Amino acid sequence: LSNSSSKVDFKLNQELPFSYLNEDSAVAEQGTAEVILKSKTTAGQVKLEAEIKNSLYPKVSKDIFIMPGPLSKVSVLPKSNVIKTGGISYTPVRIQLEDEFGNVKNDEMFELTIWHDGPGEFKNIEDKNDEKDGIQVFVNEGVAEFNISSTDKQGQILVHAETELLSAVPSED
């Protein structure tokens, strides 16, 4: 903008309520119109659109990524809490790294150590470091997924996961 009188309308396009604007429009001052984009407790991508009111200039847009906060939780989430013995039953397990608001911690790489107590076997997971106890995996998008299967023995299987910063406490349910 080259003036100090144009009104610019701003709009957020987002699937979830990741953020909000302090105002929906602003008047240009010395060629610049400013609003403040504030994040909520959910991380994700938003598209900010700006359009000069009553002008022939096209609408412009910019994708903005709302970043998750520091890692504060490691969750072990089995799809089922019960599987049959015999070695042919399994359940998918999801390990999820989260910030304090429950956002998936998908903005940095973590090394995760996974192990289990009880009569189970991990499937569909590769150990990235045989020299350490447990199974080492690198988590880039905040989630690791694998299966755990039963064996011929019966009993409770507890899956554990930890990073250098945090460990998950297995739930008893």
Side-chain angles (χ1 to χ4, degrees):
L1 298 174
S2 60
N3 64 41
S4 291
S5 62
S6 295
K7 183 177 178 184
V8 180
D9 289 335
F10 292 90
K11 179 182 175 190
L12 286 175
N13 284 328
Q14 52 192 353
E15 291 179 24
L16 296 172
F18 301 123
S19 59
Y20 63 96
L21 295 169
N22 67 327
E23 299 178 56
D24 291 335
S25 63
V27 176
E29 292 181 22
Q30 298 179 1
T32 302
E34 294 181 357
V35 293
I36 298 172
L37 174 70
K38 294 187 176 188
S39 65
K40 292 189 177 181
T41 59
T42 305
Q45 187 171 334
V46 299
K47 182 181 292 259
L48 177 63
E49 297 177 348
E51 183 175 24
I52 302 171
K53 195 101 165 146
N54 301 321
S55 83
L56 298 175
Y57 290 108
K59 182 184 334 183
V60 294
S61 64
K62 176 76 174 171
D63 289 329
I64 300 170
F65 188 74
I66 308 297
M67 306 288 286
L71 178 64
S72 68
K73 184 178 178 185
V74 178
S75 298
V76 177
L77 307 165
K79 185 168 186 175
S80 173
N81 288 329
V82 178
I83 55 176
K84 294 181 182 181
T85 60
I88 57 172
S89 296
Y90 70 93
T91 189
V93 177
R94 178 182 176 102
I95 307 291
Q96 190 163 294
L97 308 177
E98 301 172 353
D99 72 5
E100 67 179 302
F101 300 110
N103 294 306
V104 175
K105 187 74 175 120
N106 59 0
D107 64 334
E108 67 186 283
M109 175 87 72
F110 292 93
E111 183 176 346
L112 195 60
T113 301
I114 302 169
W115 72 98
H116 67 81
D117 298 326
E121 293 180 3
F122 287 126
K123 303 287 185 183
N124 302 350
I125 192 167
E126 183 181 335
D127 192 349
K128 301 295 183 189
N129 187 346
D130 292 338
E131 295 178 17
K132 286 186 175 179
D133 289 339
I135 295 177
Q136 317 311 308
V137 296
F138 293 103
V139 179
N140 190 25
E141 294 292 324
V143 173
E145 296 179 312
F146 54 89
N147 294 327
I148 190 153
S149 70
S150 64
T151 63
D152 291 336
K153 297 181 174 124
Q154 70 178 29
Q156 185 176 24
I157 305 168
L158 291 176
V159 176
H160 305 265
E162 69 180 14
T163 67
E164 290 181 9
L165 303 172
L166 296 169
S167 61
V169 177
S171 66
E172 296 286 330
D173 20 292

